[in-house]
Amino acid sequence: MPLQVTNPMIVVSNRLPFVLKRNEQGELERKSSAGGLVTAVAPVVVECNGVWVGWTGLTDFNKDEKIPESEPEDSSPTAGLRSSQTRSVCIPDSSVFDMFYNGCCNATFWPLFHSMPDKTKFDSETWQAYCEVNEAFAETTLDAVRNIIKDRSGKSSVPIVWLHDYHLMLAANTIRDTVVEECFNIRMGFFLHIPFPSWDIIRIFPWCDIILQGMLGCDLIGFHIEDYCLNFLDCCQRCLGCRVDKNKMLVEHCGRTVQVKAIPIGIPFDRFSNLAKVAERILPPSEVKVILGVDRLDYTKGLVERLRAFKRLLVKYPKWKEKVVLLQVAVPSRTDVTEYQELKEEIDKLVGSINGEFSTPAWSPIRYIYHCVRQDSLVAYYREAAVGLVTPLRDGMNLVAKEFVACQDDNDPGVLILSPFAGAGGIMQEALQVNPYEMENVADTLNRALEMPLDERQLRMFQLKKRERRMDVDAWVQSFLHTMGAMFYDKDESPHEEQYIEKMEVKDFDESLGLLVDNCTKLGVILDFDGTLSFLARTPQLAIIPPETRRVLERLSNISDCHIAIISGRNLEDLQAKVAVEGITYGGNHGLEILHPDGTKFNHPMPTGYKARLEKLEEELREKCTNHGAWVEPKGLLVAWHYREVPKEKRDSLYKLAASIYKKHGYEIFNVSKRLENVPPVGWDRGRSSIHILRSIFGVDWTERVQVIYAGDSAADEVAMEVLKGVAYTYKVINEDSTVITKTWANARLQGPDAVLTMLKYLERKLSGRKIKVGRNSSINALTWGEEVVELRFEEEEVTRERSGSLSALSRKNFRPRGHSQKLLASSRFK
């Protein structure tokens, strides 16, 4: 059945799908591009009347310039792509684009993602350029999305935005936040064309959490192979604390479920196969067999190791002297970069050394081509080679291996030798696999390939061709779009169904909190209120704690080994009234006021004149910043300015004005749940107040006996999480105010107050049923019974007691009453 594209599509890549150049008159000329991605995707964009967003490749391009249409004789896949279907990204500062492309993309991400950290350069300036250029790509894409939605007003199909490769790993953030703000619906997909490294590698990058969250701004993230998918899921879990489902390949992030999928890219198989059949012969007929290598000159391709392995073949198997030649095509790349210049110099010397050692008047073992090769010549090389030698040290997929297969003669095919460190290595199992680092292994495998009989060569190549014809580049595009719900295989197919990660259950906390609760003597639980225990509301007065959450807190407060503390930016009286649970500690104004269950109260001393300055701040904020829905809330020791209801177009200017007023009065600020609050000038925050609360409840040596759990959603909570890092197990609570990029010190993330309630239920279940072991060493315990005190001395074997809240679980034979308690124990009241 023919494929039906049901949604308008916006493709976003680093470059536009054609080449733009200026002629002698300075006018733009448009030339076709022959890349596999362009060949497969451009017709789909044309069919669905979509848009392609990219950079022109010209630093002097003016956004008002019109991109020319294709020439009438142009028959390339982009011929039908009108200039109105393209959006050019303009980066007016060429130095910014240079730092983005040559700095961050090529000097940082390229070696790092290929697991070569020793070649990676880290620079905050190039990283800022990367962020700036991604912002520009996002804004251009948003303009395209708005136009498509406007043109298709009334139509139900959702636009699909498809972002490509490591150049654009952050663009989805701006796009996602904006479409949420402007209330229109899109679906976004991202495909990474290079490997995705393991956690141990990517954690080296100082801003790796931003990169991960940038990719998670999409609904679908595609990689070449499953190994890259699992690496990504592991990084999301370990770096961000996200919940992941490795069986279904799902990640929970900011209230959404992101699907991760292995979608191996292919080549235009039939095009290569047909070209090979008609290409003229280039290499003269000879009994000398050709081993072919085709690579961009790059340190990831393993060219030095390949040359040394070929030399080892000639030494170990001298029978191949004058009977085999290595034809190595090295396409120039990044010639202005020092590392690439040094690599070329090393290869030049090695080629000269090998040829100098083994050449005869009639034969040289290596033919080295250092320039681009036309496609008709390349397919002839593929067809005439006896062995295709593809041995990268690391590669996302490697399409040369697939092109070699497509061009083989069915009657006399060659043999493919492939590195397992290329993405293709795990798919093309019929190829001979070699470790490029193991020179002996490569030499032995080359000998085996050169000697392989015809029937085995035909069998292996038949299976390879069968798979690659089926998994060509068109199948790759179709698979991605079908997963996105933008393409159906027939008109009767059911609509796209979203996949969701299962809702968090009580038992799910066993992995993270089980041992912590089992091994602690006392447990301290510190919680934020707004956005953590209660759902965020339009105004603070409307926030309420769910009844079930209140009941769980009440039950936890009655467990002797568990102490609950709630810290909020609200004043103390308001916080008590909102929570209304006895037996817990309350911290108002971020801990400037603390009230313990026994009535003990702590008030942090404030500087002289503090309240007078605060009144002036409040007065000026009310005078200048209470329009467009903004309002001021006095909180006793703090003043908050709320901007939740301010329209987006007014928000930035009003925000800057309010921030400047805080600064004018000598206050630092932090942004908490769509409001600004001043930071008291006393060096006191939620981190210090948390430690003060723990010390007050458990004593100065609390770290030796107490395990702590902290959960909160705001910037104020981040301060506490940083202070408690390594001391407490912390949760970042994600709610509707969370942006796509949410940096956190937390160990893990919880999706809203519902997940916090589930965590509290787990603690209740675990603490109510756990067992406490008391060692052989003598210890004194005091049990209160009415007005009397019973002292129990444990001196026998260790005793186990259920957490039942009574004395009935104690075995009488395991304790001996002392002195004044003897009479009480014998009384009927005690029994």
Side-chain angles (χ1 to χ4, degrees), residues 91-102:
I91 313 295
D93 190 340
S94 59
S95 64
V96 171
F97 193 87
D98 180 69
M99 286 190 291
F100 154 76
Y101 187 73
N102 293 317

Side-chain angles (χ1 to χ4, degrees), residues 635-646:
K635 305 173 77 170
L637 298 176
L638 303 172
V639 171
W641 176 74
H642 295 259
Y643 62 92
R644 181 179 297 277
E645 300 300 315
V646 178

Side-chain angles (χ1 to χ4, degrees), residues 560-598:
S560 60
D561 291 341
C562 181
H563 295 266
I564 306 290
I566 299 176
I567 304 182
S568 173
R570 295 170 178 267
N571 64 52
L572 188 58
E573 293 74 18
D574 184 28
L575 180 61
Q576 278 185 281
K578 287 291 184 183
V579 179
V581 174
E582 295 182 356
I584 66 176
T585 297
Y586 291 96
N589 285 304
H590 303 295
L592 289 171
E593 308 170 284
I594 298 172
L595 179 64
H596 292 293
D598 61 359

Side-chain angles (χ1 to χ4, degrees), residues 278-555:
V278 299
E280 295 183 2
R281 188 175 184 91
I282 294 179
L283 300 176
S286 170
E287 293 184 0
V288 176
K289 295 187 175 185
V290 175
I291 300 171
L292 177 65
V294 178
D295 305 88
R296 190 169 57 83
L297 197 144
D298 191 279
Y299 49 75
T300 64
K301 302 302 182 182
L303 295 180
V304 172
E305 289 77 7
R306 185 181 306 169
L307 292 170
R308 288 172 178 162
F310 179 69
K311 177 182 178 181
R312 182 59 185 158
L313 170 74
L314 299 178
V315 172
K316 190 172 183 179
Y317 300 96
K319 64 182 180 180
W320 293 114
K321 291 179 180 179
E322 300 188 65
K323 293 184 178 179
V324 70
V325 63
L326 172 63
L327 174 58
Q328 178 61 57
V329 177
V331 179
S333 173
R334 303 170 190 168
T335 54
D336 56 339
V337 178
T338 303
E339 280 189 326
Y340 287 78
Q341 293 170 353
E342 292 173 350
L343 176 62
K344 181 184 182 301
E345 185 178 347
E346 183 179 6
I347 291 172
D348 290 346
K349 288 179 179 178
L350 194 53
V351 169
S353 172
I354 295 171
N355 278 343
E357 181 176 350
F358 294 98
S359 290
T360 66
W363 170 79
S364 291
I366 299 175
R367 296 182 187 175
Y368 179 48
I369 299 175
Y370 180 67
H371 57 72
C372 293
V373 177
R374 295 200 332 264
Q375 198 165 67
D376 56 347
S377 299
L378 183 61
V379 295
Y381 291 158
Y382 284 142
R383 182 192 61 202
E384 294 162 22
V387 178
L389 189 55
V390 183
T391 54
L393 306 179
R394 190 71 169 161
D395 212 336
M397 175 55 74
N398 195 293
L399 300 183
V400 168
K402 296 171 179 281
E403 293 169 1
F404 176 82
V405 167
C407 295
Q408 291 306 296
D409 182 352
D410 291 336
N411 296 320
D412 187 20
V415 179
L416 176 63
I417 297 178
L418 186 57
S419 164
F421 307 128
I427 300 170
M428 306 176 77
Q429 294 290 326
E430 295 80 9
L432 298 182
Q433 304 259 328
V434 294
N435 185 337
Y437 293 98
E438 192 178 351
M439 191 167 56
E440 290 289 333
N441 176 231
V442 179
D444 292 341
T445 305
L446 278 170
N447 178 63
R448 178 187 172 190
L450 293 167
E451 291 181 336
M452 187 175 290
L454 177 62
D455 57 348
E456 184 180 352
R457 285 189 278 126
Q458 288 177 325
L459 176 62
R460 288 176 180 273
M461 195 54 64
F462 173 79
Q463 294 297 335
L464 285 167
K465 280 193 169 189
K466 181 180 176 182
R467 181 187 302 105
E468 296 310 316
R469 182 177 281 110
R470 185 181 73 251
M471 296 173 60
D472 66 357
V473 70
D474 290 329
W476 172 72
V477 172
Q478 293 162 16
S479 176
F480 196 96
L481 294 179
H482 187 257
T483 306
M484 289 287 291
M487 183 173 279
F488 300 115
Y489 288 99
D490 61 63
K491 64 180 180 179
D492 299 321
E493 187 172 338
S494 59
H496 173 73
E497 293 185 4
E498 297 284 350
Q499 291 197 56
Y500 296 99
I501 198 164
E502 292 182 4
K503 187 177 179 181
M504 206 162 192
E505 299 179 2
V506 172
K507 61 181 176 60
D508 294 331
F509 287 93
D510 216 31
E511 182 179 348
S512 56
L513 297 182
L515 286 175
L516 181 146
V517 177
D518 284 339
N519 295 331
C520 72
T521 304
K522 299 286 184 179
L523 182 66
V525 182
I526 305 176
L527 305 166
D528 173 45
F529 181 75
D530 293 279
T532 299
L533 289 175
S534 75
F535 289 91
L536 292 176
R538 292 179 64 184
T539 63
Q541 292 79 11
L542 296 176
I544 59 171
I545 185 171
E548 188 176 5
T549 303
R550 180 179 285 115
R551 289 194 292 269
V552 174
L553 286 173
E554 288 172 345
R555 293 195 293 269

Side-chain angles (χ1 to χ4, degrees), residues 247-293:
N247 293 322
K248 295 181 180 179
M249 297 282 188
L250 303 173
V251 185
E252 184 181 62
H253 180 65
C254 288
R256 299 179 301 106
T257 297
V258 180
Q259 185 175 0
V260 179
K261 187 174 182 181
I263 311 175
I265 194 171
I267 61 167
F269 186 92
D270 289 336
R271 181 159 69 87
F272 272 90
S273 180
N274 293 334
L275 281 173
K277 291 175 181 177
V278 299
E280 295 183 2
R281 188 175 184 91
I282 294 179
L283 300 176
S286 170
E287 293 184 0
V288 176
K289 295 187 175 185
V290 175
I291 300 171
L292 177 65

Side-chain angles (χ1 to χ4, degrees), residues 578-799:
K578 287 291 184 183
V579 179
V581 174
E582 295 182 356
I584 66 176
T585 297
Y586 291 96
N589 285 304
H590 303 295
L592 289 171
E593 308 170 284
I594 298 172
L595 179 64
H596 292 293
D598 61 359
T600 305
K601 194 170 183 180
F602 167 82
N603 288 288
H604 196 285
M606 304 303 290
T608 304
Y610 174 76
K611 288 200 171 183
R613 285 199 299 124
L614 207 61
E615 289 173 0
K616 291 181 180 179
L617 169 66
E618 180 186 344
E619 182 181 346
E620 187 168 357
L621 285 172
R622 287 187 187 280
E623 180 184 342
K624 299 180 179 179
C625 300
T626 52
N627 49 347
H628 305 298
W631 58 284
V632 176
E633 179 192 11
K635 305 173 77 170
L637 298 176
L638 303 172
V639 171
W641 176 74
H642 295 259
Y643 62 92
R644 181 179 297 277
E645 300 300 315
V646 178
K648 185 187 177 186
E649 61 273 14
K650 304 287 186 181
R651 185 174 297 167
D652 286 347
S653 59
L654 203 57
Y655 182 99
K656 290 177 181 177
L657 176 60
S660 68
I661 293 173
Y662 276 100
K663 185 177 181 180
K664 172 185 172 182
H665 288 272
Y667 291 107
E668 294 182 10
I669 56 174
F670 51 74
N671 193 346
V672 187
S673 300
K674 300 291 176 66
R675 71 178 188 270
L676 293 183
E677 282 185 4
N678 61 296
V679 178
V682 292
W684 193 258
D685 51 44
R686 288 199 189 187
R688 293 191 63 184
S689 60
S690 295
I691 292 175
H692 176 87
I693 289 170
L694 293 167
R695 186 177 296 157
S696 301
I697 295 174
F698 301 110
V700 293
D701 61 341
W702 65 273
T703 54
E704 299 177 8
R705 300 174 289 105
V706 181
Q707 296 286 1
V708 181
I709 297 171
Y710 190 105
D713 73 313
S714 70
D717 296 303
E718 286 296 329
V719 176
M721 291 176 191
E722 182 180 5
V723 171
L724 296 172
K725 190 73 175 176
V727 176
Y729 193 90
T730 54
Y731 287 105
K732 175 73 173 182
V733 181
I734 304 298
N735 53 47
E736 58 266 36
D737 277 354
S738 301
T739 60
V740 178
I741 291 293
T742 304
K743 292 181 72 65
T744 181
W745 289 94
N747 297 99
R749 301 182 183 219
L750 293 177
Q751 192 59 49
D754 284 339
V756 175
L757 172 59
T758 306
M759 183 266 288
L760 294 174
K761 286 180 177 179
Y762 172 81
L763 295 179
E764 180 192 6
R765 176 188 296 181
K766 195 76 173 173
L767 289 168
S768 298
R770 74 171 184 159
K771 297 179 179 181
I772 292 294
K773 291 186 176 181
V774 182
R776 292 180 61 92
N777 292 338
S778 182
S779 63
I780 301 290
N781 290 275
L783 304 175
T784 302
W785 183 267
E787 299 299 321
E788 302 283 347
V789 175
V790 181
E791 286 187 348
L792 306 179
R793 179 180 291 275
F794 293 84
E795 293 181 330
E796 301 292 323
E797 295 292 336
E798 65 179 25
V799 58

